[in-house]
Amino acid sequence: MTTTPEHDERIAKMTFSSVYPHYVTKVERKGRTTAELHQVIEWLTGFDSKKLEHLIDEKVTFETFFKRANLNPNANLITGLICGYRIEDIENELTRQARYLDKLVDELAKGRKMEKILRKG
């Protein structure tokens, strides 16, 4: 399933700060912590909690967020369905990266073990 240019553009222009509270709510509602969420985000992007806070305050778009990220070399191991899309089949790089993050948050909320989420085996 391919994404539409409109879909890709919408993701690119969405601000990380508008989505972040939903990530927090989702994981906390399932008994996980913000610290665990930050661990997952740091694994994917290289952003520690302080840098994350700065990016939220700056209201960066997902496009800027992922341009500044140092994506984990194992990010391509994140596969499966998210929001109706098979991650490994998403052609647009930015959209695929945003879905990587969605998938990791989803796995965290579903109670998956951290070493599995962080693709450690």
Side-chain angles (χ1 to χ4, degrees):
M1 176 183 274
T2 57
T3 58
T4 63
E6 296 79 17
H7 177 262
D8 295 334
E9 182 69 15
R10 196 172 72 245
I11 287 177
K13 299 303 176 207
M14 196 179 306
T15 60
F16 179 75
S17 62
S18 69
V19 178
Y20 176 77
H22 299 289
Y23 291 154
V24 172
T25 300
K26 184 174 189 169
V27 300
E28 287 182 344
R29 191 175 47 228
K30 298 293 187 166
R32 302 305 284 260
T33 65
T34 303
E36 288 174 309
L37 173 62
H38 285 197
Q39 183 181 355
V40 166
I41 294 171
E42 184 171 357
W43 176 86
L44 179 64
T45 63
F47 299 141
D48 63 15
S49 292
K50 187 175 180 180
K51 180 65 176 173
L52 209 51
E53 195 175 302
H54 177 73
L55 292 167
I56 290 167
D57 291 344
E58 199 181 330
K59 296 190 181 340
V60 298
T61 61
F62 270 97
E63 184 172 32
T64 301
F65 182 84
F66 281 107
K67 270 186 185 161
R68 293 184 188 174
N70 181 14
L71 214 63
N72 189 296
N74 287 335
N76 64 329
L77 299 176
I78 303 167
T79 58
L81 284 174
I82 190 78
C83 302
Y85 295 97
R86 181 154 293 286
I87 294 171
E88 56 272 29
D89 294 342
I90 297 173
E91 292 174 12
N92 182 283
E93 183 180 15
L94 175 63
T95 301
R96 187 173 56 251
Q97 291 169 346
R99 295 305 182 202
Y100 283 160
L101 182 55
D102 290 341
K103 183 71 172 176
L104 295 178
V105 171
D106 220 35
E107 290 175 354
L108 183 65
K110 288 181 178 174
R112 197 162 195 217
K113 290 184 185 315
M114 193 59 82
E115 60 268 13
K116 294 280 190 195
I117 297 170
L118 304 183
R119 306 313 194 250
K120 293 183 179 177

